[in-house]
Amino acid sequence: MYHNPVLLKQSVDDLVTNPDGIYVDCTFGGGGHSREILSRLSDKGRLFSFDQDLDALKNTIDDPRFTLVNQNFRFLENSLLMYGISQVDGVLADLGVSSHQFDEADRGFSTRSNAPLDMRMNVMQNLDAKRVINEYGEEELADLFYHYGELREARKLAREIVHHRKTKSIETTEDLKKMFSYIPPHKVNKFYAQLFQAIRIEVNQELEVLKEMLVQAFNVLKPEGRLVVISYHSLEDRLVKRFLKNGMFEGEPERDIYGNYKKAFELIKSKAIIPDDKEIEENSRARSAKMRTGIKV
């Protein structure tokens, strides 16, 4: 399977309220969420799905109601305008890396396989993991390890990488992992997951892209339109939670004399929805998923 969609029924239940409406799936991947959305739409409904990964285009759906846009979802608003769409009824984003991207060893996303340092979701872009590891300065590396990987030893790791590459370029995931073979066995899986996450976020500018998508989703949603986001780590979820609360990523909204502020969304549930034990057992990659849904005010 190209990708096993997480929280499939719950996300589409929250998303589709008008069978005749126009919907957006920001992360097409294997098309699991898109197919479920289409199953809820009438002949009048329309679905626009986005994916920047060329591999995902092989999964396109033969349906007159469906359009697959080969673009990063940071171009959501302008891409929809090209099809004459200025408002939609709902937007879904299932963030993170697809099962296919993890399983394709040569993409360099997985900590389990030896592969070229790549990690690009869009293989046409110039910046890859090899350039990040071999060309970024020590301070830049330390910052991204700390902020994107939440690694407390970020400065030490950056210093070791810069020292090592003076004599030999770091070419593969195994080259990178060998540098940190001293990590205790009981910590190694979490450490590599955090390290690879930090590099991947930088390569794909994931947090900045997410912010741009959320703002544009708000812009294109009709009043009472729904935004459904499934995230997989705290950095993403923090941005989503804050944006759904007050339409901002930092700072505080202006309040009136009574202490109230203008909301961007009403939350369907105050707490995130998480997969149940059965789904996690069937799909281990669902274990860190959190879903939040907002209704545009």
Side-chain angles (χ1 to χ4, degrees):
M1 182 177 288
Y2 186 99
H3 181 68
N4 192 359
V6 175
L7 293 166
L8 179 62
K9 185 177 184 301
Q10 298 95 318
S11 60
V12 181
D13 282 349
D14 276 7
L15 181 75
V16 179
T17 56
N18 174 17
D20 298 336
I22 301 172
Y23 292 89
V24 175
D25 178 358
C26 287
T27 44
F28 177 67
H33 284 106
S34 285
R35 288 181 173 84
E36 182 65 24
I37 293 168
L38 287 167
S39 75
R40 313 284 185 97
L41 300 184
S42 71
D43 291 341
K44 296 179 181 178
R46 294 183 72 184
L47 173 63
F48 292 86
S49 295
F50 286 71
D51 208 301
Q52 63 181 326
D53 192 336
L54 294 174
D55 285 353
L57 301 185
K58 302 170 187 174
N59 304 316
T60 190
I61 302 168
D62 184 14
D63 190 309
R65 302 169 298 169
F66 175 75
T67 302
L68 180 55
V69 184
N70 181 210
Q71 282 282 16
N72 188 310
F73 57 53
R74 76 190 311 169
F75 304 116
L76 172 66
E77 197 168 3
N78 283 340
S79 296
L80 289 174
L81 284 174
M82 289 179 64
Y83 291 93
I85 305 298
S86 59
Q87 285 196 311
V88 302
D89 295 85
V91 176
L92 168 68
D94 179 12
L95 306 175
V97 183
S98 73
S99 301
H100 171 77
Q101 289 167 328
F102 272 124
D103 293 339
E104 287 289 299
D106 61 354
R107 300 292 294 272
F109 287 105
S110 175
T111 62
R112 300 189 306 273
S113 305
N114 186 24
L117 279 170
D118 194 328
M119 302 191 196
R120 293 173 296 172
M121 292 182 180
N122 177 3
V123 295
M124 305 301 288
Q125 74 178 39
N126 291 323
L127 182 64
D128 61 10
K130 181 180 174 182
R131 285 189 60 186
V132 169
I133 291 299
N134 287 283
E135 297 180 15
Y136 275 31
E138 183 177 325
E139 190 169 336
E140 286 179 288
L141 286 172
D143 284 347
L144 74 91
F145 292 154
Y146 182 78
H147 293 294
Y148 295 163
E150 299 180 291
L151 289 160
R152 285 183 292 181
E153 62 271 43
R155 296 205 174 280
K156 178 185 176 186
L157 302 177
R159 190 162 53 248
E160 290 176 344
I161 287 172
V162 171
H163 176 73
H164 183 278
R165 74 191 191 196
K166 286 178 180 178
T167 54
K168 187 178 180 182
S169 176
I170 303 165
E171 301 281 333
T172 68
T173 54
E174 199 63 31
D175 289 344
L176 183 63
K177 289 170 65 176
K178 282 179 180 176
M179 295 177 53
F180 307 112
S181 57
Y182 59 81
I183 300 294
H186 66 284
K187 293 183 178 181
V188 71
N189 289 338
K190 183 179 180 182
F191 170 78
Y192 286 137
Q194 290 173 286
L195 181 67
F196 276 49
Q197 172 184 293
I199 301 166
R200 192 197 77 225
I201 288 174
E202 175 64 19
V203 168
N204 298 289
Q205 297 292 294
E206 291 177 31
L207 299 185
E208 291 307 311
V209 169
L210 174 57
K211 290 179 185 179
E212 291 176 32
M213 182 275 290
L214 291 172
V215 171
Q216 292 177 49
F218 177 81
N219 292 342
V220 301
L221 279 170
K222 297 175 180 177
E224 298 188 11
R226 296 190 171 199
L227 175 59
V228 182
V229 185
I230 303 169
S231 60
Y232 293 87
H233 56 75
S234 60
L235 300 176
E236 292 174 336
D237 183 57
R238 205 173 296 142
L239 289 175
V240 174
K241 181 180 179 181
R242 190 166 177 79
F243 186 76
L244 288 176
K245 180 181 178 183
N246 57 32
M248 302 175 68
F249 301 112
E250 54 188 37
E252 291 296 327
E254 289 187 17
R255 297 176 182 269
D256 62 23
I257 58 173
Y258 303 105
N260 301 314
Y261 62 88
K262 186 177 181 180
K263 291 184 178 181
F265 294 90
E266 289 287 351
L267 299 181
I268 287 185
K269 292 189 176 180
S270 57
K271 291 188 176 180
I273 301 298
I274 59 175
D276 59 24
D277 292 339
K278 183 174 183 295
E279 180 169 5
I280 294 171
E281 185 178 341
E282 293 173 352
N283 180 10
S284 62
R285 288 172 180 155
R287 65 185 179 275
S288 57
K290 288 185 177 181
M291 184 184 89
R292 298 184 187 274
T293 303
I295 303 173
K296 183 176 177 178
V297 176

